[in-house]
Amino acid sequence: MENPGIQSIAESIQFIPQLQELFIYQNTLRKEGLHPLFIQLLKHCKNLVSFDLCDNFVREEATTEMTNIIKNCENLRNLNLSDCLNEGENEAIITAFEESKNRNFERLGFNFIELDKDLALRLLEVVKECPKLKRLDITGNDFSKSTKKKFTEAFEDKPEVLSKFDDDDDEEEVTRLFEELKIWNILMLLLFIMYFTPEYQQSISN
């Protein structure tokens, strides 16, 4: 879907104020299309519940209107901003979450948005206040081990909520290979011991 297409959808929003779900992921939409859409959503669809914007370009004026949606759509439960933001937009978005009175989020997506440590920890404080949270996706951000640990500890009682970090799969693969290597070494050792036992030597000599 190109920007003119989403602009047409934006013009139609006023006729569907009951709209609760909108999924426009992976359309590489830019501010020219997203900005008017966000304005119309905020004006006519305050009861929006689910909004998936993954893999579009939320920039400049569109970022400002996105922050207004976060702060003013109190029924919003599911919001996916993965692959939408860059370092310049993250500050405004996280601030909007902090200022919003909504703590009923259930699913939030922040994969690959260049989230730094400070903003990540600010986000963590927000989501810790969301008792209904079922999923938090934050894969693809360059977090330190200490930052990852804080997220992991925060969801220690509900580990299924937190997405895996980038290097989790690598660590699991290394662990698996290490375990296989240990088993192989043990088998070789047993064979070596068995080969040099008197009973085995006698059996092969016969």
Side-chain angles (χ1 to χ4, degrees):
M1 186 186 303
E2 300 295 333
N3 286 320
I6 199 65
Q7 288 169 351
S8 297
I9 291 177
E11 293 171 1
S12 303
I13 290 293
Q14 59 182 311
F15 302 112
I16 45 174
Q18 71 276 17
L19 181 71
Q20 293 188 341
E21 297 183 347
L22 184 58
F23 303 94
I24 52 173
Y25 52 85
Q26 294 181 334
N27 282 293
T28 59
L29 299 171
R30 300 182 180 277
K31 66 177 183 180
E32 292 80 9
L34 292 176
H35 184 232
L37 174 67
F38 293 169
I39 290 176
Q40 294 302 313
L41 284 173
L42 187 59
K43 186 176 181 180
H44 299 288
C45 301
K46 289 287 186 67
N47 291 320
L48 190 65
V49 174
S50 298
F51 197 9
D52 192 336
L53 278 160
C54 177
D55 203 10
N56 291 291
F57 295 93
V58 180
R59 302 285 190 273
E60 300 170 6
E61 297 95 334
T63 302
T64 301
E65 296 307 326
M66 185 71 248
T67 63
N68 289 331
I69 289 175
I70 293 170
K71 290 187 287 186
N72 295 288
C73 290
E74 296 182 356
N75 291 321
L76 195 60
R77 299 292 179 269
N78 311 301
L79 179 62
N80 188 3
L81 295 173
S82 297
D83 288 302
C84 281
L85 310 170
N86 61 26
E87 192 172 356
E89 277 71 38
N90 290 336
E91 170 81 28
I93 295 296
I94 300 304
T95 300
F97 276 100
E98 292 172 329
E99 295 176 353
S100 171
K101 295 179 180 179
N102 183 7
R103 290 297 181 266
N104 293 314
F105 292 106
E106 296 179 6
R107 295 180 178 273
L108 293 171
F110 302 100
N111 293 332
F112 298 96
I113 63 168
E114 302 179 22
L115 202 61
D116 64 26
K117 173 186 174 182
D118 292 338
L119 291 177
L121 295 180
R122 286 169 57 185
L123 173 64
L124 179 59
E125 293 304 310
V126 171
V127 297
K128 282 162 62 174
E129 298 175 359
C130 300
K132 298 181 180 180
L133 192 65
K134 298 176 182 177
R135 185 67 177 179
L136 175 63
D137 290 309
I138 51 174
T139 300
N141 295 290
D142 191 17
F143 295 155
S144 64
K145 288 185 177 180
S146 62
T147 301
K148 294 176 184 177
K149 183 178 179 182
K150 289 181 180 179
F151 273 90
T152 303
E153 290 175 345
F155 293 97
E156 189 172 7
D157 295 334
K158 298 189 296 182
E160 71 280 1
V161 171
L162 189 63
S163 63
K164 287 186 175 182
F165 294 107
D166 273 354
D167 55 0
D168 285 350
D169 290 335
D170 293 339
E171 290 177 0
E172 288 179 4
E173 179 67 10
V174 170
T175 301
R176 184 185 66 79
L177 292 174
F178 184 69
E179 291 300 323
E180 289 181 357
L181 181 61
K182 286 198 298 185
I183 293 172
W184 176 252
N185 286 339
I186 291 172
L187 288 173
M188 293 300 295
L189 179 60
L190 289 173
L191 287 172
F192 181 81
I193 293 173
M194 184 182 70
Y195 181 81
F196 285 100
T197 57
E199 292 82 2
Y200 183 77
Q201 292 293 328
Q202 184 177 2
S203 66
I204 61 175
S205 63
N206 295 332

